[in-house]
Amino acid sequence: MSQRHVLQVFEQYQKARTSSCQTVAELANRPQNVETLQNAGVMSLLRPLLLDVVPTIQQTAALALGRLANFNDDLAEAVVKGDILPQLVYSLAEQNRFYKKAAAFVLRAVAKHSPHHAQAVVDCGALDTLVICLEDFDPGVKESAAWALGYIARHNAELSQAVVDAGAVPLLVLCIQEPEIALKRIAASTLSDISKHSSELAQTVVDAGSIAHLAQMILNPDEKLKRQVLSALSQIAKHSVDLAEMVVEAEIFPIVLTCLKDTDEYVKKNTATLIREIAKHTPELAQLIVNAGGIAAVIDCIGSCKGNIRLPGIMMLGYVAAHTENLAMAVIVSKGVPQLAICLADEPEHHIKAASAWALGQIGRHTPDHARAVALANVLPRLLSLYMDAESSEDLQVKAKKALKNILQKCTHLPALEPLLHDAPPNILKHVVGQFSKVLPHDSKARRLFVTSGGLKKIQEISAEPGSLLQEYINTINNCYPEEIVRYYSPGFSQTLLERVDQYQPVI
Amino acid sequence: MAKLLKLQSYVPVLRAEQFYRYRLAEDYRFLEYKAAVTIQSWFQGCRVRAFIRSLHRTATIIQKTWRGYIERKHYRMMVKTAYFNLKMNFYNAMAVRIQKLWRGYYIRKYVHNCKSLQKYFEEIRKANEIVRQQLEEFSEMNQRNREKKKKEMEERKKNYQARKMHYLVSTRQIAGIYNSPYRQFPDEMEFRLQRAKPLNRWERHTKKDDSCGLVDMSTDTTSFSLPTIHPLPPIGKRKPQGPFRDTAEVLRQRYKPLEPTLRVETLITSLEEARAELKRKENSNLISDDLFLPFSSLRKNQKYIPSFDTSVDYKMCSLRTVHQEKWITKKDFKTVFTPVPFFDKFGRTYSKAGEIV
């Protein structure tokens, strides 16, 4: 009887620990409880529970800690300060899979917040154990380890390098080939985080043979996996021409274009980013994309979505058009200009407008044909208004001005230029008048039209400093017309006529 | 003499005259000298001037000839260069004409081939069309698949619901809630209920495990379930009633390692492998590669005696004749030993067979 009593005490104690631990873990799920928990000194209470004799309590304690650390920076800091990490890392290698998952979750939650915290995790020697966890049988353990590694690698190049040095990349590549979708997803995202920092890191990822596996998964029906895969590919391709070519050699075109039609917005965005990162390197790569019909797909994609998802597509059009005039013409032929004009008009956000303006500038700067195509989309007045608008961001103003200048210097399509005569500031007007002065001496019809549309009158009203470029242009235009016409349209001509009437003495 | 006298008489006169003359001459001498100088200077001047003039004339002649020569030479040079320039200009103009034609042709043909460029753009346009169409088809197909899947899912859900709520099915006496008597037709659910098989007890209590692979512990416990806590070992409870074995013994039996029989343990190819191994060993231990050959000359002169088996006439005495009258019993022959597997299992199972009490 006495033995039973003694044991009952222990049983109660264990039950109490278990239930309290689980309750804390559940409470930590809700943000509103976290502060109370923190004030109650939850950290110092949970720490000894990590060393409990019962595995379940250890796991639950780790889970609660992880949730708390996940919540904010201060709590993560508290975990680091509380010397909990070495303990976790130590037991990460020893314990069962549930505990491994929970411990990896804590590490991930701590590393998530800042490079400083991630460095603290690395300093505890977590990388080696996490890499060992990547070799575990249980996909859940692999997944959480990969996730933690990804959060560590995401901050900067040094941390990424540390992850690579721990030998994680080949194992991550193996993880991609596992059948579990969730594991694939996390592994792909980790590879993306590793390769985003520098070309060396990306090269390491490529050397592990990841591209072929990633490229295979482009057609996977799972959308979240597709997002990560495409993001990883674009992070690899963005660094250098060689890497971009390697990505292209995995025969992702034209399969990847199907992802532009996906229902998921982020899949679209990442696909457009991937295409952009490939197209920006050389004219040849851009040509390859154009030949695969990528431009039309991207333009359709821009048309089918809104906001930030458009941005990479818009930039891709700009990059392609910037390479050569033929590529710019291909963009025009694929009806890219009207779409960009819509983006310029509809998007409320300034950076997207700025990107559209930049892309249009890149398309229109090559030859008069290009400029004409851009001008026909009625882009110039809008660019001007964006440039003049005081509410536009500085970047948008600069981009709009540059684009206007680029297009105007090539534009010979006078009907599009005429509205600009009336409301352009002098620094833009200079280019507009310059274009008129280049065209009018050689085109009689245009001269006539210029007078009837009131352009000449406007020209006479411009007050230019004598000797300036603008004055020269005005003189050139005036020289194309008879003197009487010029005088007739000069401001104050009627006044002088009336004065002459007054002064005239009739001869009787 | 007279004459002389006469002449003498003349002397003073003459002397006077002479003196007069001399005086006169003396008077005029300076004048005359000056005149003579004037005349001479004039004359000499004339002469020298004439000489100088002739000298000038000759010099002029020389100079004009020389200068003429030089100038003509220079002029000829000038004409030559002018001619050369003219020619060069002409040639240059012609070269420009040729080059311009050639360059225009070349650029149009090979560099900025407008036709091919247009063709290229046309092709791009076509490619774009095709890509757009294909993508459209692809997305439509995806859409259809998704809808189909969704519909199937809903169907499955409804069926499951029907199985769960099977107790609501109407009976002959009482109409169920889906089979309102005030309606013309029963609800669609009613038919589903009729078709469905009710969940059995096991199915009702098993929860679906939807935590496949998801380890996002930060969100909620729904996707992640902790391992269920093992119940603590019973404290001081009595042994349960009944003919139960000791738990440790049962567990030992349950988790004993696999003990395959010798036959299962050995590979199917082990015989061949052993033979190959033997052969390999033999080969490696050989002293000479050539095997010893039998002496063919030893039995050269002996007569060949056929073996007994080949020489017996089967028809005369069959070796396989069955003499049933010699049999002791009608039953088949039986071995008396226990088969080997029995010994394998001896003492490892619950069975008490073969134990010596």
Side-chain angles (χ1 to χ4, degrees), chain A residues 155-228:
Chain A
H155 292 293
N156 57 36
E158 286 88 55
L159 287 165
S160 252
Q161 189 62 50
V163 171
V164 170
D165 290 343
V169 174
L171 294 172
L172 286 170
V173 174
L174 283 179
C175 285
I176 295 179
Q177 302 165 47
E178 295 286 330
E180 289 83 12
I181 294 282
L183 178 56
K184 283 184 177 194
R185 217 185 272 164
I186 302 297
S189 124
T190 306
L191 285 179
S192 155
D193 282 338
I194 290 173
S195 55
K196 79 178 174 191
H197 296 291
S198 71
S199 63
E200 287 78 24
L201 290 166
Q203 188 65 50
T204 321
V205 172
V206 172
D207 288 344
S210 56
I211 287 186
H213 300 297
L214 288 172
Q216 275 175 1
M217 286 189 290
I218 288 175
L219 277 180
N220 199 297
D222 187 70
E223 276 152 5
K224 283 181 187 156
L225 175 60
K226 265 199 271 189
R227 279 185 206 170
Q228 303 299 348

Side-chain angles (χ1 to χ4, degrees), chain A residues 48-362:
Chain A
L49 289 180
L50 281 176
L51 291 174
D52 205 280
V53 282
V54 184
T56 321
I57 297 176
Q58 289 182 11
Q59 289 154 26
T60 328
L63 182 64
L65 264 183
R67 282 184 182 154
L68 287 169
N70 199 25
F71 181 70
N72 71 18
D73 207 357
D74 296 339
L75 286 163
E77 183 72 37
V79 172
V80 173
K81 288 260 172 69
D83 271 346
I84 292 170
L85 295 178
Q87 205 169 305
L88 278 171
V89 171
Y90 172 70
S91 43
L92 188 61
E94 309 286 314
Q95 298 278 357
N96 65 9
R97 60 197 177 106
F98 298 107
Y99 186 77
K100 280 182 183 172
K101 269 191 225 173
F105 169 58
V106 181
L107 293 179
R108 178 181 112 206
V110 172
K112 172 178 121 172
H113 294 290
S114 72
H116 165 66
H117 289 145
Q119 188 62 49
V121 172
V122 172
D123 289 343
C124 296
L127 288 179
D128 293 326
T129 35
L130 285 173
V131 169
I132 291 168
C133 283
L134 280 182
E135 288 176 295
D136 205 281
F137 283 119
D138 186 46
V141 174
K142 280 193 210 177
E143 192 189 327
S144 48
W147 209 336
L149 286 174
Y151 273 28
I152 292 169
R154 132 176 335 178
H155 292 293
N156 57 36
E158 286 88 55
L159 287 165
S160 252
Q161 189 62 50
V163 171
V164 170
D165 290 343
V169 174
L171 294 172
L172 286 170
V173 174
L174 283 179
C175 285
I176 295 179
Q177 302 165 47
E178 295 286 330
E180 289 83 12
I181 294 282
L183 178 56
K184 283 184 177 194
R185 217 185 272 164
I186 302 297
S189 124
T190 306
L191 285 179
S192 155
D193 282 338
I194 290 173
S195 55
K196 79 178 174 191
H197 296 291
S198 71
S199 63
E200 287 78 24
L201 290 166
Q203 188 65 50
T204 321
V205 172
V206 172
D207 288 344
S210 56
I211 287 186
H213 300 297
L214 288 172
Q216 275 175 1
M217 286 189 290
I218 288 175
L219 277 180
N220 199 297
D222 187 70
E223 276 152 5
K224 283 181 187 156
L225 175 60
K226 265 199 271 189
R227 279 185 206 170
Q228 303 299 348
V229 165
L230 291 165
S231 139
L233 284 175
S234 58
Q235 298 289 10
I236 290 170
K238 82 176 180 186
H239 293 291
S240 69
V241 185
D242 292 338
L243 290 168
E245 277 173 1
M246 278 174 135
V247 171
V248 171
E249 274 166 20
E251 297 190 346
I252 56 168
F253 288 103
I255 300 163
V256 81
L257 299 180
T258 54
C259 295
L260 287 173
K261 277 283 180 188
D262 209 277
T263 43
D264 190 71
E265 299 282 280
Y266 287 96
V267 172
K268 279 187 192 174
K269 188 180 172 189
N270 288 353
T271 314
T273 314
L274 172 61
I275 298 175
R276 179 190 78 191
E277 299 301 350
I278 291 170
K280 79 177 181 187
H281 288 295
T282 62
E284 287 76 23
L285 286 170
Q287 182 89 51
L288 181 108
I289 291 169
V290 170
N291 290 355
I295 295 256
V298 168
I299 289 167
D300 282 3
C301 172
I302 293 174
S304 69
C305 51
K306 288 261 168 287
N308 260 336
I309 294 134
R310 278 175 164 176
L311 188 63
I314 293 169
M315 285 174 77
M316 181 260 173
L317 292 182
Y319 276 127
V320 168
H323 283 306
T324 67
E325 57 175 69
N326 285 354
L327 288 170
M329 194 42 107
V331 174
I332 293 169
V333 160
S334 314
K335 305 191 180 75
V337 176
Q339 198 60 57
L340 285 174
I342 291 169
C343 289
L344 195 63
D346 292 354
E347 282 299 329
E349 289 194 51
H350 286 181
H351 65 277
I352 298 173
K353 279 185 180 176
S356 314
W358 171 77
L360 284 168
Q362 296 302 331

